[in-house]
C-alpha cells in the first residue's frame, strides 16, 4: 500500500470532520479552504486508483460462514479466523444485553458513552472488516459473481430464516394481545404497527431496530466491496459522505425523530438502514486490508479518533451537539474504530482453553443471541417490568434499588446466551441434515423461498411508505 493513500485518506477525513464541526461558524473562507483540501485529495485518489492485496478471514455476518467457494481456477487458501474478532463480538453482545438490562440514565451516570455505547459501532466495524476478508477469500471480482444466487441464498439462511422464526413467535404474542387475552405494559411508544413495513415484528422487543440494518446490508455490501477494490480511498471517504448525506436527507424530508411526527415510521426507516452507520462499516472494510495500529495506512484514525473522543466528551456532558443527534453516528465511530484496532493488536491471537472456546462459540452465535434477547426482553418489559422510562408501577426499573442489577444482569446473560447458542447449534445441525435427508432438504427449500418472499415484500412495503409520505 502506497504511503500516498494514507496521506489522501487522512486529509480527506480531517477536512471532512473539520467541515462538519465548523459548519456552525458560517465562515465562507474556512469552508472554501476545507473544500479545496478535499478536492485535491479526491483528484489524487482518482489518479492513483489504489488496489488491495487479498487477505483472508471469516464471513461478514455476525456469524461464521460455511459458504462454499466457487469451483473455478482461483486458488483457494485455508480460511483464517481471528480470535480478536471473536473476542470483540462476544464482548459487544454482552454490552448489548447490558444496554437492555440497565436504564440509560443509570449507565449514563457511569460514563456509558465511553465504554458501553461502543457495542453497535464496533459490531458494525467488525461487519465491514469481515466483509472485506470474506470476499477476498472467495476471490470474487465482478458484481455478477458477488450477487450470485449462492450469496443471496446464504444471506436468506443466515439472516432472514432465523428472523422469521422470531417473527412467528411475536405474531402469536401479538394475536393474543390484540384479543385481550392478557394485558401488556406500555413500551414507551415504540409500538407502532407501521414499523412492520420497515422490518420490525408485530410485538416490540429492545434491539429490534438493528434487524432492518442487517437486512439492508444484503444488497449494499457487494457493491461497497466492488467499489473498494477499485478505489479504496474514495470508497471509504464515500461511506462518511453517504452517512452524513443520509442524515440530512432524513431531516430534510421528514424532520428529526419525534414521537408525535406523523412520518415517524420514515424517520425510523432512515435510522434503521446501514447508511446511517456506514462510516463504521467503511472503517472496518479499510482495516480488513491492514489492522496494524501503527501502520502509516491507519494514521488517520489517530487524529479523527481524538476528534471523536472530544465529541463524545461533549455529548456525555451536554447531550446532542449541533445537528448530530444520538450516539450512533460518525461523531462516535472513529473512537470505536481506534478501540477496535487496539483490540486487534493486543488481544491474544489464538489462545487455547475452555474460556477461549466459549468465546468462540458465543461469537458464532451472536446473531441468534441478538434475536433471543429481543424475544426475551419483549416478554420481560411488556409483561413484568416497564422499559427504561419512569412509568408506574415500576418508575425506575431497578435504579431505586441498584443491587438488584447484580442478579438481573447475570440472569439475562445466562438466559440469552444459552438459548442463542443452543438455537445456533440446532440450526446448523438442521442445515447439515438438509444436505443428507430428503425431508429436511424440502423444509430447507421452503424456508429459503419464504425468506426470499419476505425480503422482496419488505422492499415493496418500503416503496409504499415512500409513496405515502
Amino acid at each position: 500500500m502506497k504511503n500516498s493513500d494514507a496521506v489522501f485518506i487522512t486529509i480527506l477525513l480531517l477536512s471532512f470532520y473539520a467541515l462538519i464541526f465548523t459548519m456552525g461558524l458560517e465562515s465562507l473562507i474556512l469552508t472554501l479552504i476545507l473544500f479545496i483540501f478535499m478536492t485535491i485529495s479526491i483528484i489524487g485518489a482518482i489518479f492513483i486508483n489504489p488496489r488491495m492485496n487479498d487477505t483472508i478471514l471469516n464471513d461478514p455476518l455476525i456469524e461464521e460462514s460455511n459458504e462454499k467457494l466457487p469451483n473455478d481456477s482461483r486458488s483457494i487458501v485455508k480460511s483464517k479466523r481471528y480470535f480478536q474478532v471473536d473476542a470483540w463480538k462476544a464482548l459487544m453482545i454482552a454490552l448489548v444485553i447490558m444496554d437492555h438490562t440497565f436504564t440509560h440514565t443509570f449507565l449514563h451516570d457511569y460514563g456509558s458513552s465511553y465504554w458501553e455505547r461502543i457495542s453497535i459501532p464496533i459490531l458494525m466495524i467488525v461487519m465491514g472488516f469481515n466483509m472485506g476478508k470474506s470476499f477476498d477469500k472467495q476471490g470474487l471480482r465482478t458484481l455478477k459473481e458477488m450477487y450470485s444466487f449462492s450469496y443471496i441464498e446464504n444471506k436468506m439462511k443466515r439472516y432472514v430464516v432465523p428472523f422469521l422464526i422470531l417473527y412467528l413467535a411475536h405474531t402469536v404474542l401479538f394475536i393474543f394481545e390484540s384479543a385481550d387475552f392478557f394485558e401488556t405494559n406500555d413500551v414507551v411508544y415504540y409500538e407502532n404497527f407501521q414499523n412492520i413495513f420497515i422490518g420490525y415484528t408485530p410485538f416490540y422487543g429492545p434491539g429490534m431496530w438493528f434487524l432492518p440494518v442487517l437486512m439492508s446490508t444484503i444488497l449494499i455490501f457487494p457493491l461497497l466491496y466492488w467499489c473498494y477494490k477499485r478505489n479504496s480511498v474514495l470508497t471509504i471517504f464515500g461511506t462518511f459522505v453517504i452517512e452524513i448525506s443520509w442524515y440530512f436527507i432524513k431531516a430534510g424530508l421528514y424532520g428529526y425523530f419525534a414521537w408525535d411526527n406523523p412520518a415517524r415510521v420514515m424517520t425510523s426507516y432512515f435510522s434503521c438502514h446501514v447508511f446511517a452507520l456506514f462510516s463504521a462499516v467503511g472503517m472496518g472494510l479499510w482495516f480488513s486490508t491492514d489492522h496494524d495500529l501503527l501502520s502509516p495506512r491507519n494514521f488517520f484514525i489517530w487524529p479523527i479518533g481524538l476528534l471523536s473522543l472530544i465529541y463524545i466528551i461533549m455529548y456525555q456532558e451536554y447531550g446532542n451537539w449541533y445537528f448530530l443527534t444520538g450516539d450512533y453516528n460518525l461523531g462516535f465511530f472513529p473512537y470505536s474504530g481506534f478501540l477496535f484496532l487496539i483490540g486487534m493488536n493486543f488481544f491474544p491471537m489464538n489462545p487455547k482453553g475452555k474460556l477461549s472456546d466459549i468465546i468462540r462459540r458465543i461469537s458464532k452465535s451472536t446473531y441468534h443471541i441478538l434475536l433471543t434477547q429481543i424475544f426475551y426482553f419483549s416478554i420481560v418489559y411488556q409483561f413484568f417490568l416497564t422499559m427504561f422510562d419512569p412509568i408506574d408501577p415500576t418508575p425506575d426499573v431497578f435504579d431505586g434499588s441498584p443491587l438488584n442489577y447484580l442478579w438481573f444482569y447475570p440472569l439475562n446473560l445466562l438466559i440469552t446466551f444459552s438459548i442463542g447458542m443452543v438455537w445456533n447449534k440446532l440450526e446448523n445441525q438442521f442445515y447439515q441434515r438438509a444436505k443428507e435427508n430428503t425431508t429436511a432438504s424440502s423444509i430447507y427449500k421452503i424456508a429459503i423461498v419464504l425468506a426470499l418472499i419476505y425480503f422482496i415484500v419488505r422492499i415493496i412495503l418500503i416503496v409504499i411508505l415512500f409513496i405515502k409520505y
Side-chain angles (χ1 to χ4, degrees):
M1 177 56 60
K2 300 176 181 178
N3 289 336
S4 57
D5 299 341
V7 173
F8 287 132
I9 193 65
T10 301
I11 294 176
L12 279 171
L13 292 181
L14 278 177
S15 302
F16 177 75
Y17 274 89
L19 183 64
I20 290 176
F21 292 155
T22 58
M23 285 179 69
L25 300 178
E26 298 182 356
S27 172
L28 179 61
I29 295 178
L30 179 58
T31 301
L32 287 175
I33 291 174
L34 293 173
F35 268 118
I36 290 172
F37 273 110
M38 291 170 62
T39 302
I40 293 174
S41 298
I42 289 172
I43 293 173
I46 290 174
F47 279 102
I48 285 181
N49 190 28
R51 292 281 180 170
M52 305 291 101
N53 292 322
D54 290 344
T55 43
I56 306 297
L57 190 65
N58 51 333
D59 189 70
L61 301 176
I62 303 182
E63 302 173 89
E64 182 180 351
S65 171
N66 294 316
E67 247 183 308
K68 292 183 179 179
L69 300 180
N71 235 348
D72 56 20
S73 59
R74 299 185 187 96
S75 60
I76 299 176
V77 186
K78 185 178 180 181
S79 175
K80 177 182 179 182
R81 188 176 184 92
Y82 284 73
F83 178 79
Q84 302 99 306
V85 172
D86 291 330
W88 270 128
K89 288 161 64 180
L91 286 171
M92 293 307 100
I93 195 62
L95 289 182
V96 169
I97 305 302
M98 175 179 286
D99 193 64
H100 299 153
T101 297
F102 297 77
T103 65
H104 289 170
T105 301
F106 183 89
L107 292 173
H108 185 272
D109 291 341
Y110 291 91
S112 58
S113 298
Y114 305 110
W115 58 274
E116 187 267 328
R117 298 296 287 175
I118 65 173
S119 57
I120 295 300
I122 287 186
L123 284 175
M124 295 306 297
I125 291 170
V126 166
M127 289 188 70
F129 184 87
N130 285 354
M131 169 184 55
K133 297 295 188 181
S134 176
F135 281 128
D136 278 342
K137 177 183 72 175
Q138 297 171 70
L140 305 180
R141 290 295 177 268
T142 68
L143 288 176
K144 183 178 179 180
E145 292 174 330
M146 295 175 193
Y147 286 104
S148 65
F149 178 77
S150 62
Y151 169 80
I152 299 298
E153 179 187 5
N154 187 62
K155 295 301 177 280
M156 296 300 107
K157 178 176 69 174
R158 296 278 175 186
Y159 282 162
V160 186
V161 171
F163 167 76
L164 290 181
I165 295 174
L166 172 67
Y167 199 104
L168 177 62
H170 269 175
T171 300
V172 172
L173 289 177
F174 175 75
I175 292 172
F176 276 93
E177 179 195 25
S178 301
D180 294 326
F181 279 95
F182 43 69
E183 294 184 0
T184 57
N185 295 327
D186 189 343
V187 289
V188 200
Y189 311 111
Y190 283 106
E191 205 165 45
N192 180 358
F193 189 75
Q194 285 185 320
N195 283 339
I196 66 172
F197 282 57
I198 65 174
Y200 281 36
T201 70
F203 199 78
Y204 180 78
M208 190 173 294
W209 71 273
F210 194 64
L211 300 181
V213 173
L214 295 177
M215 301 294 178
S216 66
T217 65
I218 295 174
L219 297 180
I220 299 298
F221 273 10
L223 180 60
L224 176 62
Y225 176 80
W226 182 83
C227 293
Y228 181 71
K229 298 303 288 186
R230 277 143 187 80
N231 195 304
S232 60
V233 173
L234 290 187
T235 298
I236 302 311
F237 177 65
T239 61
F240 285 79
V241 174
I242 289 174
E243 181 179 324
I244 197 67
S245 300
W246 191 251
Y247 188 90
F248 282 131
I249 291 171
K250 177 187 73 171
L253 291 178
Y254 306 106
Y256 294 101
F257 183 87
W259 298 116
D260 58 352
N261 185 348
R264 176 160 57 94
V265 65
M266 292 309 299
T267 63
S268 296
Y269 167 72
F270 273 81
S271 300
C272 298
H273 194 282
V274 68
F275 284 162
L277 308 159
F278 217 27
S279 62
V281 175
M283 281 188 288
L285 181 56
W286 180 271
F287 297 148
S288 71
T289 300
D290 181 2
H291 60 265
D292 185 354
L293 181 62
L294 301 180
S295 169
R297 188 174 187 275
N298 294 329
F299 172 78
F300 74 92
I301 200 63
W302 292 81
I304 69 169
L306 178 60
L307 289 175
S308 178
L309 176 59
I310 294 172
Y311 171 81
I312 292 173
I313 293 173
M314 299 295 290
Y315 178 84
Q316 175 71 22
E317 296 301 321
Y318 304 107
N320 293 329
W321 179 84
Y322 195 34
F323 57 83
L324 292 178
T325 59
D327 45 13
Y328 292 156
N329 56 52
L330 47 78
F332 266 71
F333 296 154
Y335 170 76
S336 298
F338 187 80
L339 294 180
F340 172 77
L341 286 184
I342 290 177
M344 293 299 293
N345 284 266
F346 293 101
F347 287 169
M349 294 182 62
N350 189 29
K352 306 295 182 182
K354 292 184 178 180
L355 178 60
S356 57
D357 290 341
I358 292 174
I359 290 174
R360 291 185 179 96
R361 288 186 60 194
I362 293 172
S363 172
K364 294 178 180 179
S365 306
T366 308
Y367 181 52
H368 292 80
I369 293 172
L370 174 67
L371 295 175
T372 299
Q373 67 89 41
I374 290 175
F375 181 78
Y376 168 71
F377 283 119
S378 71
I379 300 294
V380 170
Y381 290 119
Q382 297 210 44
F383 290 98
F384 301 102
L385 301 174
T386 53
M387 199 173 82
F388 305 137
D389 287 352
I391 300 175
D392 290 332
T394 52
D396 56 10
V397 189
F398 291 134
D399 285 7
S401 304
L403 288 178
N404 283 309
Y405 285 126
L406 294 179
W407 64 263
F408 190 46
Y409 179 52
L411 175 66
N412 294 343
L413 285 176
L414 177 64
I415 292 174
T416 57
F417 276 42
S418 299
I419 296 177
M421 292 165 70
V422 170
W423 182 359
N424 178 62
K425 183 176 181 180
L426 292 176
E427 186 177 285
N428 287 333
Q429 289 176 349
F430 169 76
Y431 289 146
Q432 186 61 38
R433 284 199 300 271
K435 299 177 182 179
E436 306 163 353
N437 182 279
T438 303
T439 303
S441 178
S442 299
I443 296 174
Y444 170 78
K445 292 176 182 178
I446 293 173
I448 295 298
V449 170
L450 290 175
L452 278 169
I453 292 173
Y454 170 80
F455 187 72
I456 294 171
V457 168
R458 175 180 170 271
I459 294 175
I460 295 173
L461 291 177
I462 291 172
V463 173
I464 292 174
L465 283 179
F466 271 102
I467 294 174
K468 180 178 179 180
Y469 292 106

